[in-house]
Amino acid sequence: MVIGNWQLADRPLPVADYLEEETMKQIPHPDLSKITVNCAIITVSDTRSRDTDNSGLLTNNLLKDAGHYVVAYTVVKDDAAKISLQMQTFSQREDVDAIIVNGGTGIAPRDTTYDVLESLLDRILPGFGEIFRFLSYQEIGSRAIASRAVAGVYKGKLVFSLPGSSNAVKLAVEKLILPELVHLVTQLRGG
């Protein structure tokens, strides 16, 4: 095909082939370090206790199965002051690398987790929430827009905030957190 003075090939251009192949791989550079990450779990709920917290237990089990440690775990009421205090407490611990929060990310009047964390985070990782909502959309459809999942850094600690449902926790931990946990903590440590 000829357009102006340009001859277009009837077959794909080599550059187009290369770009297509490169964009299809989407494999990040490998993490050579094999570190164990020390995690703290916060479940935000007005109705759950340690005995009924399936999402916290699931998070704990998935992290441990991947070879990481859970060094702290608590359930707090969906109250801005209590969430903020617990974040401060865990962030001051030398043995905590990452804090994983579940619950309180919706838009109900009592859902305050996102608002608290947004005000606390020193840096936000917008890709986490964006990709989480994309993956959620594939599973639950348009209801995914109600999630205010967020991730970032608070006082040198990696923070992930997830919805409280066990399905959302499983999705986020397996598809996003575990594949990047070592890499992100290594970056925070300056490596």
Side-chain angles (χ1 to χ4, degrees):
M1 169 189 295
V2 177
I3 298 177
N5 292 331
W6 296 92
Q7 173 73 36
L8 297 180
D10 292 331
R11 58 180 170 63
L13 299 173
V15 171
D17 287 341
Y18 171 78
L19 290 175
E20 185 175 318
E21 285 178 27
E22 287 301 304
T23 57
M24 295 304 287
K25 289 181 188 174
Q26 299 184 17
I27 298 172
H29 54 84
D31 289 315
L32 299 177
S33 58
K34 300 291 181 198
I35 66 170
T36 299
V37 177
N38 293 329
C39 302
I41 299 170
I42 301 172
T43 294
V44 178
S45 176
D46 290 334
T47 59
R48 293 183 190 167
S49 67
R50 287 178 73 104
D51 295 332
T52 61
D53 180 22
N54 294 332
S55 294
L57 178 63
L58 178 60
T59 304
N60 179 65
N61 291 342
L62 291 170
L63 289 168
K64 286 183 175 180
D65 289 348
H68 301 294
Y69 294 126
V70 175
V71 297
Y73 162 72
T74 191
V75 177
V76 299
K77 296 290 183 195
D78 200 337
D79 174 83
K82 291 178 181 175
I83 297 167
S84 182
L85 180 62
Q86 192 60 62
M87 286 294 296
Q88 290 172 12
T89 300
F90 282 170
S91 72
Q92 292 171 356
R93 289 183 55 161
E94 300 253 341
D95 65 339
V96 172
D97 299 308
I99 302 169
I100 301 173
V101 183
N102 73 83
T105 62
I107 60 168
R110 291 286 299 162
D111 289 333
T112 60
T113 303
Y114 175 84
D115 305 300
V116 171
L117 292 182
E118 183 190 42
S119 71
L120 292 178
L121 292 175
D122 303 315
R123 293 182 178 167
I124 293 179
L125 298 171
F128 174 79
E130 294 163 357
I131 295 171
F132 175 78
R133 283 180 286 280
F134 171 74
L135 294 172
S136 293
Y137 177 77
Q138 294 175 331
E139 288 190 5
I140 65 171
S142 60
R143 195 147 295 171
I145 68 170
S147 170
R148 296 188 297 160
V150 67
V153 178
Y154 174 61
K155 295 188 177 182
K157 310 296 183 183
L158 188 59
V159 176
F160 296 97
S161 178
L162 323 172
S165 81
S166 294
N167 287 340
V169 165
K170 185 176 188 319
L171 174 70
V173 173
E174 288 182 345
K175 299 284 186 182
L176 297 173
I177 296 173
L178 288 176
E180 296 303 323
L181 188 59
V182 168
H183 175 71
L184 294 171
V185 168
T186 302
Q187 283 191 323
L188 282 176
R189 290 178 179 174

